[in-house]
Amino acid sequence: MSSTPTVGVLLSRVRVEEKLLLQELSSRGVETKVIDDRTLVLPTEKRPDLGVDVVMERCIQHGTALYALSVLAGWCVPTVNTYETAEICGNKLLTTMRLVRDRVPTPKTRIAFTPESALEAVEQIGYPAVMKPLIGSWGRLVSKVNDRESAEAIVEHKDVLGNYLHSIYYVQEYVAKPGRDIRAFVVGDETICAIYRYSDHWITNTARGGKATNCPVTPELGDLCVRAARAVGGGVVAIDVLEGAEGPLVNEVNYTMEFRNSIDTTGVNIPAKVVDYVLEVARAAVPLKAAR
């Protein structure tokens, strides 16, 4: 391998984030290969010959990302993020259990497996509660449950959706927000920046209309987010933090993070930080490649 690795960018389509990452790679003269996941065919019995030294994963569908990373991990192809990080972050229960394991504060949660036990789980959490699908993003199918009647309606709907994942009920305490929450960006072992996301709605995702302003990264916030990132396998992740009455709580960790609304807001060149890390991963893998 040359002194500058060749970077493969595995993507579904070139959105704003992918365009910014590709521009950053190009500005450095890094040889880059775009890998379209819609046409990708990966062999399982031999190391995929992609002609790259590291793969940056930017798929839209979680399943596509997860299984492509699984094959690449099986053949020791360096990736950002890793299969482990994608598997954990793509499932809210697995994320919660990693956070609990590493003593990272997170909202109180109950898991149930039948409609009857789901209603009991909501009662144990107390009203209002939040019901979420195990796998999903952008705040879709997330419901605030204010009373028993609404809990019964939501459970009934989930029970007839058909997908077995909807029969696993993830119930979380509702954490009252001061009209905002925090999204922090971790690259490697550094919390590089953070934003406040403001909304009149209890769901504050910028994809759902939330407004972003800069959030100073205090030592406490930076440490909390790095600990959360390490708990799920590390890499390049976005941490969603709720400001609870007794202190901050890590709500979710996102592994194919969106950042278009956070560059100007924070003044941090997020694509440059990500590319720095990707190149570092590629170079660190050279001894492993030489040893095989």
Side-chain angles (χ1 to χ4, degrees):
M1 185 181 75
S2 64
S3 59
T4 302
T6 299
V7 176
V9 183
L10 176 62
L11 50 75
S12 307
R13 63 174 183 263
V14 180
R15 301 169 294 176
V16 174
E17 283 82 5
E18 288 72 41
K19 182 178 180 180
L20 292 169
L21 290 165
L22 290 169
Q23 288 175 343
E24 180 64 27
L25 288 162
S26 177
S27 71
R28 302 187 188 197
V30 176
E31 186 175 351
T32 305
K33 180 177 179 180
V34 173
I35 305 169
D36 189 333
D37 66 22
R38 295 168 296 182
T39 60
L40 179 65
V41 177
L42 288 171
T44 59
E45 73 281 358
K46 63 180 180 179
R47 182 183 174 92
D49 183 16
L50 300 175
V52 300
D53 299 296
V54 64
V55 173
M56 184 195 313
E57 180 278 311
R58 294 293 309 175
C59 303
I60 292 175
Q61 294 294 330
H62 170 61
T64 302
L66 185 66
Y67 296 117
L69 290 171
S70 174
V71 173
L72 296 174
W75 287 101
C76 299
V77 177
T79 60
V80 177
N81 283 306
T82 66
Y83 169 74
E84 176 193 14
T85 297
E87 181 184 35
I88 300 302
C89 293
N91 184 302
K92 293 179 177 62
L93 172 57
L94 300 184
T95 300
T96 293
M97 294 314 300
R98 284 294 188 93
L99 296 173
V100 170
R101 182 198 69 181
D102 288 7
R103 295 182 173 83
V104 177
T106 190
K108 181 171 61 177
T109 303
R110 295 289 183 274
I111 299 297
F113 304 100
T114 65
E116 295 76 18
S117 59
L119 293 173
E120 173 59 25
V122 175
E123 295 288 339
Q124 288 185 18
I125 289 291
Y127 299 101
V130 177
M131 297 190 72
K132 300 179 180 180
L134 288 185
I135 296 174
S137 56
W138 298 307
R140 293 175 298 194
L141 298 180
V142 175
S143 303
K144 183 181 176 186
V145 183
N146 292 316
D147 52 39
R148 177 78 181 198
E149 185 175 338
S150 60
E152 290 174 348
I154 292 168
V155 167
E156 180 180 358
H157 289 161
K158 288 173 68 65
D159 189 44
V160 299
L161 283 175
N163 188 311
Y164 83 96
L165 286 172
H166 288 297
S167 297
I168 303 172
Y169 300 89
Y170 179 99
V171 184
Q172 199 170 64
E173 68 173 311
Y174 174 75
V175 178
K177 306 175 184 178
R180 69 186 189 192
D181 65 7
I182 297 170
R183 167 158 286 195
F185 300 89
V186 176
V187 177
D189 289 326
E190 179 188 5
T191 304
I192 61 170
C193 60
I195 60 171
Y196 289 118
R197 300 186 299 185
Y198 288 88
S199 177
D200 293 333
H201 195 276
W202 69 279
I203 296 176
T204 56
N205 301 54
T206 54
R208 299 277 294 268
K211 305 302 180 183
T213 65
N214 184 53
C215 171
V217 178
T218 63
E220 293 77 16
L221 177 62
D223 176 70
L224 175 69
C225 293
V226 168
R227 288 170 54 209
R230 288 174 178 167
V232 299
V236 175
V237 294
I239 314 291
D240 291 345
V241 180
L242 306 177
E243 299 170 276
E246 299 181 3
L249 301 168
V250 173
N251 189 36
E252 294 183 8
V253 185
N254 305 273
Y255 74 95
T256 307
M257 65 189 197
E258 298 177 349
F259 52 79
R260 68 184 71 183
N261 298 315
S262 304
I263 300 170
D264 291 340
T265 303
T266 63
V268 173
N269 188 340
I270 298 174
K273 295 283 190 180
V274 173
V275 168
D276 284 343
Y277 181 77
V278 170
L279 296 177
E280 178 184 322
V281 168
R283 293 187 178 108
V286 173
L288 294 177
K289 291 175 65 176
R292 285 198 301 270

